[in-house]
Amino acid sequence: MTTIPAIAANNGAAPGSTPRSPVKAMDSEVFMSLLVTQLRYQDPSAPMDTNQMMSQSVQLSMMEKMTELTAGSKESFSLQMRSAAAQIIGTEVSYTLADGTKGAGVASAVSFADGVPTVSVGQAKVPLDLITGMTAPAAVEPKKTT
């Protein structure tokens, strides 16, 4: 009698091999792997329809372009947030923190260390998205000399 090793003990991998981590998203490599597998195991007497193959290639191309567009949009949004945060320095801001604490003061510095820029308002470090209002600094009139 042959003993079959437990599958669950190694996430479905063969005994002695490194377990494979699951793919979390469909990318072009997965798509191409599926297409090659489909071609490899197709019935020679009834090959894949050319129109179907072209349709799948177009779908792959569209998926790659949408992924690039999404990445570009995220980068653009990040740059806009950084620019907005830098322009706040020197202005009077009001904010409401996540715990409900409200405050106000002059924005003196900005940190870009985290995903969302953090604005220094007095002793408080306020994420940019928690700032609820801004007041432009008062214009200083030049002194008149006589």
Side-chain angles (χ1 to χ4, degrees):
M1 175 180 244
T2 305
T3 305
I4 299 174
I7 293 174
N10 211 5
N11 289 337
S17 68
T18 305
R20 186 177 70 93
S21 60
V23 175
K24 294 188 181 355
M26 292 286 287
D27 60 1
S28 59
E29 288 183 35
V30 172
F31 190 87
M32 288 304 291
S33 175
L34 288 171
L35 184 60
V36 168
T37 301
Q38 185 177 1
L39 289 172
R40 182 180 299 142
Y41 293 109
Q42 73 178 339
D43 181 7
S45 64
M48 181 192 290
D49 182 15
T50 310
N51 291 333
Q52 232 181 1
M53 187 174 221
M54 289 302 294
S55 173
Q56 290 176 2
S57 296
V58 167
Q59 288 173 356
L60 172 63
S61 178
M62 287 175 56
M63 180 186 70
E64 288 175 339
K65 294 299 177 190
M66 290 298 291
T67 302
E68 289 174 17
L69 183 62
T70 301
S73 294
K74 285 180 181 179
E75 185 176 331
S76 176
F77 180 70
S78 176
L79 290 171
Q80 286 175 349
M81 281 190 3
R82 288 173 180 246
S83 176
Q87 291 176 359
I88 288 176
I89 294 175
T91 61
E92 177 82 22
V93 297
S94 57
Y95 58 88
T96 304
L97 298 177
D99 64 0
T101 305
K102 293 185 179 201
V106 176
S108 58
V110 177
S111 170
F112 301 114
D114 297 324
V116 174
T118 304
V119 180
S120 296
V121 182
Q123 297 297 319
K125 305 290 185 199
V126 183
L128 180 64
D129 55 352
L130 296 182
I131 292 179
T132 57
M134 292 185 285
T135 305
V140 178
E141 293 185 27
K143 294 181 180 180
K144 293 182 183 180
T145 56
T146 53

